[in-house]
Amino acid sequence: SFIYAVVHGFSAGLGFTLALVLMASIRQRLQLGGVPKAMIGIPITFIVAGLMAMAFQGFSGLKI
């Protein structure tokens, strides 16, 4: 239905925004923290993205 599509679209946008804000805040904290030289930049970003993906995977089984 139309209402379901609107709610789904809004929820997807909200979830994407939440993921972007979380990723930006984690990257900011990593810049201030002690990260080994070999892990600065893309490697630590991939690790953080993988950990976030595993965390958000827990929401996949939820039903509305």
Side-chain angles (χ1 to χ4, degrees):
S1 72
F2 177 73
I3 299 296
Y4 180 76
V6 168
V7 169
H8 184 69
F10 180 74
S11 300
L14 189 64
F16 186 68
T17 302
L18 176 67
L20 285 177
V21 168
L22 284 173
M23 188 68 172
S25 64
I26 290 172
R27 286 189 65 169
Q28 183 69 25
R29 288 190 55 99
L30 286 173
Q31 284 181 350
L32 300 175
V35 178
K37 276 194 177 255
M39 298 299 285
I40 293 176
I42 297 294
I44 196 70
T45 303
F46 281 154
I47 291 171
V48 169
L51 290 172
M52 284 178 57
M54 288 191 315
F56 280 115
Q57 189 68 28
F59 293 119
S60 67
L62 297 177
K63 299 288 181 183
I64 295 176

